[in-house]
Amino acid sequence: MVEMRALVFGNRDDDDLGVVGDWAEDREFHLERVSREEIVPVDVDDYDLVISLGSVWSVYWPAIRETLRPELDALRLSVDIGVPVLGICFGGQMLAAALGAEVTRAPQPEIGWIEVDSDLPDLIAPGPWMAWHIDRFTVPEGAIEIARTAHAAQAFRVDRSLGLQFHPEVDAAIVKRWAADGDEELRAHHLRATDVIADSERNEQRARADAYRLCDGFWTTIATS
């Protein structure tokens, strides 16, 4: 069997694929990481899958416009030539922006475990899913929105690619690290790190099963269409 190659965009200090990485390795993908901090062009046609991960950055920050350009170009080209993209949170925003949609500050942050209104519950279960974002994307022209909350679109499909606003990759260990790094942000939104961690430990097993079902459904019904 020929090993498939997956290209992963992430920040240098925050590129943990978590459950999505476990799924990719179980499906025999070879994962190759590219740091967003490195401004280098990428030949996406050498890959079977492109994954764009979350970030503490905002797509619209002027100071990182040139830093993000190679990834935006790579995501746009991937869609154009039919290489499947899975965009997660910031990665979903990047996919939307690459296709001409807008990324803006959300009217209300979503942090913690949330339920989503899903048009395709066999692909994207209602949740709860982990959310940790203050921005949101509009759905690109020609794409189909397939999940949402009252505050933001949560998923869209465009050709063979899928953009998500929530985090299917998280496990309790990832949330513990985020909570430690983002304790001040949590307190600013009247949340306690201990509560978010406890919810994550309680939801971990079910969320892992939902994430595997999402990834399998993405790969078999969207990426291969």
Side-chain angles (χ1 to χ4, degrees), residues 11-221:
N11 288 68
R12 186 178 296 117
D13 58 353
D14 188 19
D15 64 352
D16 191 342
L17 278 160
V19 178
V20 172
D22 294 341
W23 169 83
E25 291 179 0
D26 287 347
R27 301 303 181 260
E28 299 186 333
F29 281 93
H30 173 67
L31 301 172
E32 300 179 23
R33 287 173 165 79
V34 171
S35 170
R36 290 191 174 107
E37 289 86 347
E38 299 173 10
I39 307 177
V40 294
V42 178
D43 293 324
V44 293
D45 54 350
D46 291 337
Y47 295 91
D48 301 284
L49 171 64
V50 175
I51 301 173
S52 180
L53 292 174
S55 174
V56 297
W57 296 352
S58 289
V59 172
Y60 49 78
W61 286 354
I64 60 172
R65 182 177 293 115
E66 290 306 311
T67 300
L68 294 181
R69 190 179 303 279
E71 182 177 353
L72 288 168
D73 290 344
L75 297 179
R76 186 180 307 110
L77 178 59
S78 295
V79 174
D80 287 346
I81 67 176
V83 176
V85 175
L86 178 62
I88 297 173
C89 197
F90 178 84
Q93 296 166 6
M94 286 286 287
L95 177 61
L99 300 177
E102 291 187 324
V103 178
T104 59
R105 189 75 174 241
Q108 179 173 319
E110 292 181 307
I111 301 175
W113 291 87
I114 64 169
E115 301 277 346
V116 303
D117 175 18
S118 174
D119 297 335
L120 299 173
D122 289 340
L123 173 69
I124 299 175
W129 298 97
M130 168 54 68
W132 198 309
H133 65 96
I134 61 173
D135 296 329
R136 65 178 181 177
F137 53 70
T138 59
V139 176
E141 184 177 354
I144 301 171
E145 180 184 295
I146 55 179
R148 66 205 60 80
T149 63
H151 305 296
Q154 295 292 328
F156 68 88
R157 174 187 178 171
V158 56
D159 298 328
R160 303 177 68 194
S161 297
L162 181 65
L164 304 173
Q165 185 58 80
F166 57 86
H167 287 277
E169 84 280 14
V170 299
D171 53 25
I174 290 175
V175 174
K176 287 178 182 177
R177 186 172 67 252
W178 289 357
D181 294 340
D183 183 61
E184 183 176 340
E185 181 181 22
L186 290 172
R187 286 188 281 108
H189 293 105
H190 309 291
L191 297 169
R192 296 194 307 175
T194 53
D195 293 338
V196 175
I197 292 169
D199 287 345
S200 301
E201 291 173 339
R202 184 165 52 252
N203 285 312
E204 185 170 31
Q205 186 173 359
R206 180 211 45 77
R208 182 180 184 86
D210 284 348
Y212 262 70
R213 182 168 59 172
L214 186 158
C215 290
D216 276 335
F218 161 66
W219 189 247
T220 59
T221 65

Side-chain angles (χ1 to χ4, degrees), residues 1-18:
M1 180 181 294
V2 177
E3 187 176 52
M4 294 180 291
R5 301 174 67 197
L7 177 66
V8 181
F9 288 100
N11 288 68
R12 186 178 296 117
D13 58 353
D14 188 19
D15 64 352
D16 191 342
L17 278 160

